[in-house]
Amino acid sequence: MSSTKYESADLILKLYDMRREETMRKARQWFGGFNPQSAQEIVDAAASEETSAYYRMVTSYWDMAASLVHQGAIDEEMFNAANGEHVFIYAKLEPHMEELRTIFGPQILPNLERLIMNIPNIKERLTHMREMMRKMMERRAAAKKQ
């Protein structure tokens, strides 16, 4: 199946609308502040009564959206031009993926990873994204101290 530009745009807008749902917004906000320094922190978040639903909601959403791209329902170039949050999410998890796959199995986020790895210059972009996140966390910490 190969989608038209209009069909791709329509699905992208529907996916965007899903991101606006109240619980999903809370989950995305939580994930934005989630700064895992180890695979164990991710495992703990995925198992926690408080954060498990948020973790699973965000990661499964982006893996599902990526699967729509891989199946040809959404044009890949258009999807990547219209979204950046999936790169942000993956940048947080990527340093721990090998260990996470040892813990959870090889099926963890295969569609998201495939989509991300197809982006030109992705290694540099992920490095830049992680540096931006580090600076953002430092600013947040400094603001809390004041």
Side-chain angles (χ1 to χ4, degrees):
M1 171 169 83
S2 181
S3 65
T4 67
K5 295 289 184 181
Y6 175 83
E7 290 167 328
S8 287
D10 188 50
L11 284 172
I12 289 168
L13 291 171
K14 287 177 181 174
L15 287 170
Y16 182 81
D17 199 40
M18 289 173 64
R19 289 169 48 196
R20 295 175 47 224
E21 187 274 327
E22 183 180 347
T23 305
M24 182 60 150
R25 288 181 69 86
K26 289 177 183 175
R28 291 172 55 232
Q29 183 176 4
W30 170 80
F31 211 102
F34 180 51
N35 189 27
Q37 299 302 302
S38 68
Q40 188 59 51
E41 286 183 42
I42 297 167
V43 170
D44 293 346
S48 166
E49 271 188 53
E50 183 180 315
T51 59
S52 176
Y54 287 166
Y55 173 81
R56 289 180 293 110
M57 184 175 275
V58 170
T59 57
S60 65
Y61 170 87
W62 284 111
D63 200 56
M64 177 218 39
S67 75
L68 295 175
V69 173
H70 296 311
Q71 295 301 314
I74 300 174
D75 178 79
E76 185 170 351
E77 186 177 350
M78 185 183 288
F79 183 86
N80 284 322
N83 294 291
E85 187 173 332
H86 61 305
V87 177
F88 177 76
I89 298 303
Y90 189 76
K92 289 178 177 254
L93 302 174
E94 190 262 342
H96 315 291
M97 289 302 285
E98 187 175 325
E99 189 174 353
L100 290 172
R101 288 194 170 121
T102 300
I103 296 166
F104 291 124
Q107 75 284 356
I108 186 168
L109 304 175
N111 298 299
L112 178 60
E113 182 173 57
R114 181 175 159 202
L115 177 64
I116 296 292
M117 290 302 138
N118 284 341
I119 297 172
N121 302 315
I122 190 58
K123 294 293 183 185
E124 295 85 5
R125 187 168 172 190
L126 289 170
T127 299
H128 177 73
M129 180 76 66
R130 281 192 280 275
E131 182 61 20
M132 276 184 9
M133 288 186 294
R134 185 187 64 74
K135 288 177 181 177
M136 182 176 62
M137 293 298 178
E138 286 175 358
R139 286 191 295 272
R140 284 183 182 174
K144 281 185 180 180
K145 287 181 182 179
Q146 293 180 2

